[in-house]
Amino acid sequence: MKYILASASPRRQQLLALVLDGSFEIQVSDADEKTALSDPAELVQELAKRKARAVAKGQEDAVIFGADTVVALEGQTLGKPKDRQQAKAMLERLSGKTHTVYTGIALLHTKSGHMLCEADSTQVTFAPMRPEEIEAYLDTGEYADKAGAYGIQGGAAKHIEKIDGCYFNVMGLPVHRTYELLKKLMGESDGAL
């Protein structure tokens, strides 16, 4: 049996290596990410499932890991910014406020057809950011391809006052929860880690 991460994210690759000791393949999902779902926990779970299913095609005995992350603030979901201007607007909104980061994790065992899916959430509080601090962060380019236009593990860290929940969830994959889900899936699939 093999393990496959349905993501090109270097952060997810790094975090899944903590769960699997580095023994997995990477296949980027081409799943349709358009959805009318507005609840962030439901949204990330649905997209994680789609990504896992898209990569599972043609795999006889594999566990596929699908994941999706969004930032939710004041009833609105913030995904990845399209450009610097959209990233700036997101950071201005996050400045001085607490938001919630949701990550959905879907694990699909292709041989048995079993799939488990959960969502994790973490509260993140940003300190107020001055306009020049936002511009300096944007100059790093770190905002690209990140939900909410920031990465907690990079230059944005100095603007984060506190978190409540799993740090790794904010990076894109809650490590402990993923490990527990994998143990549960393999138990249901009569497999062993």
Side-chain angles (χ1 to χ4, degrees), residues 2-170:
K2 60 185 174 180
Y3 300 104
I4 302 171
L5 175 62
S7 174
S9 165
R11 293 158 306 282
R12 286 200 182 108
Q13 293 169 26
Q14 175 188 7
L15 296 175
L16 188 58
L18 298 174
V19 175
L20 297 174
D21 300 324
S23 55
F24 60 93
E25 297 176 15
I26 297 156
Q27 291 187 26
V28 181
S29 167
D30 61 355
D32 179 10
E33 296 191 34
K34 293 182 183 128
T35 176
L37 293 171
S38 59
D39 178 83
E42 291 177 15
L43 171 70
V44 292
Q45 288 182 83
E46 175 60 28
L47 295 180
K49 288 179 196 174
R50 288 183 191 180
K51 291 175 182 180
R53 285 186 189 116
V55 168
K57 295 173 186 164
Q59 297 293 337
E60 288 185 25
D61 190 11
V63 174
I64 315 296
F65 294 78
D68 194 75
T69 302
V70 297
V71 167
L73 175 68
E74 300 167 343
Q76 187 176 16
T77 299
L78 307 177
K80 298 172 186 174
K82 292 182 204 138
D83 54 30
R84 182 183 175 116
Q85 195 59 35
Q86 191 175 46
K88 180 180 177 182
M90 287 181 184
L91 292 170
E92 287 172 345
R93 288 190 62 204
L94 296 174
S95 175
K97 295 180 184 156
T98 298
H99 63 275
T100 306
V101 177
Y102 292 88
T103 298
I105 318 130
L107 274 62
L108 172 59
H109 184 232
T110 58
K111 189 172 186 179
S112 67
H114 290 161
M115 179 185 280
L116 296 177
C117 188
E118 293 183 4
D120 204 352
S121 64
T122 303
Q123 301 283 318
V124 179
T125 302
F126 262 85
M129 296 172 70
R130 297 188 314 270
E132 60 270 23
E133 291 174 316
I134 292 174
E135 291 297 336
Y137 181 69
L138 293 171
D139 287 344
T140 69
E142 286 183 8
Y143 65 87
D145 200 38
K146 291 182 178 69
Y150 77 92
I152 194 169
Q153 71 283 3
K158 64 187 168 204
H159 302 291
I160 295 172
E161 285 184 0
K162 66 179 180 173
I163 69 167
D164 182 13
C166 177
Y167 172 83
F168 301 114
N169 183 59
V170 184

